[in-house]
């Protein structure tokens, strides 16, 4: 048995043993559009993972991880999803900020911030998008000024996932007055529990609120809490985005597979599969998911991968309502109770917008991958 197979067997056995008792009720809970589900219980579960060494498996051992290879990380995320384990609450800290600090942080920053992330004692959110600067990240206007021994931050972020549950936010801010676009930005680590920070949840189409507006009005953070050099924030921010679209997306694809299999089963039960158009679309969805997995294993360009999976998942949401038929237009209960297929359809509308809109991803692919002329800017 190879080391990867041994690793897969180990995590599969651990999940079978530990995802039981009080934790058994958490199977399938949480995830996009459902982050409100059993949040406190999922936090307890994730701390249980940490206590047994199953958080941050891809981090180097010297920073508390397992030093797992890419193949082992793939095995972990796939087995976790196959076990129908609850959605992770510490994804942003573990998968985004943690690797960023490992590669670009100072030793003091690593010592301060990595242990609480690994132990799930501090949760993080991502302060990138702003009104008027969503996918066009280089247009951020939030500013920070170094005053004495602190950065003083003013501005607004939006679509900040789980900010209402987080203690810290990594914030891309303009720190050089008069700078434009990619220059003059810094990547700051900012505590949220302080005067000068206001967090307002945003009600989504699903009726839930996992995105937020975050307002900074004279908020402060220590001068040493800048990752990389001041003014080097764009490079650090792009590194974080690369981690965001890493191997953990293979676990996401297991969830997609579960949704597709359930939809095929529904189409067979309610007779929708007798429609040749529905059968064709279900077949195309299956083929698309196979291509998505093959691309992830091969290491598809992150922008191309994001563009592909987001449209695949949005299309699956549309297909789900076709399979459900006219009843899909009615709420399952008052005042606004949605079933799983309605929630999938509504939340997947955002897939092609968040984490870089499709329009921006196409420009990146055209300009940076294919070498086509850049889009004219005013």
């Amino acid at each position: 048995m190879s080391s990867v197979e041994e690793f897969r067997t180990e995590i599969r056995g651990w999940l079978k043993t530990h995802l039981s008792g009080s934790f058994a009720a958490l199977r399938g809970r949480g995830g996009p559009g459902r982050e409100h589900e059993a949040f406190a219980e999922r936090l307890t579960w994730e701390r249980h993972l940490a206590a047994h060494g199953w958080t941050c498996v891809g981090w180097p051992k010297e920073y508390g991880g397992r030093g797992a290879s890419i193949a082992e990380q793939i095995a972990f995320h796939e087995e976790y999803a196959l076990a129908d384990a609850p959605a992770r609450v510490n994804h942003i800290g573990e998968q985004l900020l943690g690797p960023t600090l490992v590669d670009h942080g100072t030793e003091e920053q690593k010592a301060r911030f990595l242990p609480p992330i690994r132990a799930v004692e501090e949760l993080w959110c991502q302060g990138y998008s702003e009104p008027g600067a969503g996918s066009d990240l280089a247009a951020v206007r939030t500013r920070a000024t170094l005053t004495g021994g602190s950065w003083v931050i003013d501005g607004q972020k939006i679509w900040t996932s789980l900010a209402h549950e987080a203690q810290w936010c990594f914030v891309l801010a303009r720190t050089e007055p008069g700078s434009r676009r990619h220059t003059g930005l810094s990547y700051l680590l900012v505590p949220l529990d302080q005067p000068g920070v206001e967090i307002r949840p945003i009600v989504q189409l699903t009726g839930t609120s996992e995105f937020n507006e975050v307002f900074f009005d004279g908020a402060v953070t220590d001068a040493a809490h800048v990752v990389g050099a001041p003014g080097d924030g764009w490079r650090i921010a792009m590194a974080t985005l690369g981690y965001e679209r890493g191997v953990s997306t293979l676990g996401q694809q297991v969830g997609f597979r579960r949704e597709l299999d359930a939809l095929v089963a529904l189409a067979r039960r309610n007779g929708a599969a007798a429609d040749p158009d529905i059968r064709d679309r279900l077949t195309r969805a299956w083929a698309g998911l196979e291509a998505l997995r093959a691309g992830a294993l091969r290491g598809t360009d992150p922008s191309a991968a994001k563009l592909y999976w987001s449209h695949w998942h949005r299309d699956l949401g549309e297909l789900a309502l076709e399979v459900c038929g006219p009843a899909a237009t009615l709420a399952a209960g008052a005042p606004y109770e949605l079933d799983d297929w309605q929630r999938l359809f509504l939340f997947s509308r955002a897939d092609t917008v968040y984490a870089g809109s499709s329009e921006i991803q196409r420009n990146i692919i055209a300009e940076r991958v294919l070498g086509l002329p850049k889009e004219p800017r005013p």
Side-chain angles (χ1 to χ4, degrees):
M1 181 181 294
S2 70
S3 61
V4 175
E5 291 171 336
E6 291 174 352
F7 190 88
R8 185 182 291 275
T9 299
E10 182 184 1
I11 183 56
R12 181 186 299 162
W14 189 91
L15 288 168
K16 182 177 180 180
T17 299
H18 289 262
L19 199 54
S20 59
S22 61
F23 290 135
L26 297 179
R27 290 180 183 271
R29 305 299 295 276
R34 300 167 57 193
E35 292 290 0
H36 63 289
E37 294 180 346
F39 190 90
E41 293 82 358
R42 287 160 51 214
L43 179 59
T44 299
W45 159 254
E46 195 144 341
R47 287 172 174 166
H48 183 72
L49 283 175
H52 290 80
W54 288 113
T55 56
C56 309
V57 296
W59 288 15
K61 292 181 179 179
E62 60 264 36
Y63 299 120
R66 285 181 171 245
S69 66
I70 294 296
E72 289 171 334
Q73 292 177 59
I74 290 171
F76 172 83
H77 290 294
E78 288 184 337
E79 291 300 325
Y80 190 89
L82 287 167
D84 204 19
R88 304 288 294 276
V89 302
N90 193 32
H91 168 79
I92 295 173
E94 178 177 328
Q95 300 292 335
L96 279 66
L97 180 64
T100 302
L101 291 179
V102 167
D103 288 345
H104 304 284
T106 65
E107 290 305 314
E108 291 76 14
Q109 289 169 347
K110 295 173 188 178
R112 166 58 185 88
F113 293 111
L114 292 182
I117 294 174
R118 194 203 65 78
V120 202
E121 294 171 351
E122 291 178 344
L123 302 182
W124 286 79
C125 59
Q126 181 180 33
Y128 277 15
S129 294
E130 299 179 8
S135 294
D136 186 12
L137 187 57
V140 298
R141 291 180 293 179
T142 293
R143 64 188 185 277
T145 304
L146 190 59
T147 303
S150 300
W151 293 99
V152 181
I153 306 153
D154 294 279
Q156 178 187 356
K157 297 295 181 177
I158 199 167
W159 310 122
T160 310
S161 300
L162 297 180
H164 60 296
E165 301 286 359
Q167 291 78 48
W168 287 82
C169 182
F170 50 94
V171 175
L172 190 64
R174 196 162 296 281
T175 54
E176 295 180 9
S179 62
R180 297 186 67 255
R181 304 297 299 168
H182 309 86
T183 63
L185 300 169
S186 295
Y187 189 109
L188 306 177
L189 310 178
V190 182
L192 295 178
D193 186 12
Q194 62 166 302
V197 175
E198 181 183 359
I199 298 171
R200 300 179 189 171
I202 299 170
V203 179
Q204 300 149 202
L205 284 173
T206 53
T208 57
S209 299
E210 60 200 60
F211 299 127
N212 302 266
E213 294 177 282
V214 182
F215 296 86
F216 299 99
D217 184 9
V220 298
T221 195
D222 191 274
H225 290 171
V226 56
V227 182
D232 194 27
W234 183 258
R235 181 177 67 90
I236 306 300
M238 292 303 99
T240 300
L241 289 178
Y243 305 128
E244 183 178 19
R245 298 162 186 167
V247 296
S248 62
T249 59
L250 285 161
Q252 175 193 56
Q253 291 171 33
V254 174
F256 290 170
R257 174 74 65 187
R258 188 180 293 113
E259 290 174 339
L260 177 58
D261 289 347
L263 188 59
V264 169
L266 174 62
R268 288 170 173 164
R269 287 196 307 272
N270 71 3
D275 183 328
D277 179 62
I278 294 291
R279 288 201 308 273
D280 179 70
R281 291 169 67 185
L282 288 169
T283 302
R284 289 176 181 274
W286 175 87
L289 189 55
E290 290 295 307
L292 186 60
R293 174 177 171 76
L297 291 173
R298 187 180 60 189
T300 298
D301 174 80
S303 290
K306 199 280 172 176
L307 182 68
Y308 192 88
W309 76 252
S310 60
H311 282 263
W312 183 93
H313 200 225
R314 185 199 64 184
D315 292 347
L316 185 72
E318 295 176 352
L319 178 56
L321 292 202
E322 293 284 347
V323 170
C324 290
T329 62
L330 300 176
Y336 190 60
E337 180 183 341
L338 303 176
D339 63 27
D340 289 343
W341 301 117
Q342 292 168 326
R343 187 179 293 109
L344 168 65
F345 168 76
L346 290 173
F347 196 88
S348 64
R349 311 308 296 174
D351 286 348
T352 58
V353 178
Y354 67 67
S357 70
S358 294
E359 291 78 7
I360 294 294
Q361 300 307 322
R362 291 189 178 100
N363 277 350
I364 291 172
I365 294 167
E367 295 173 7
R368 303 182 191 175
V369 179
L370 301 179
L372 298 178
K374 290 188 175 183
E375 183 180 23
R377 296 185 182 275

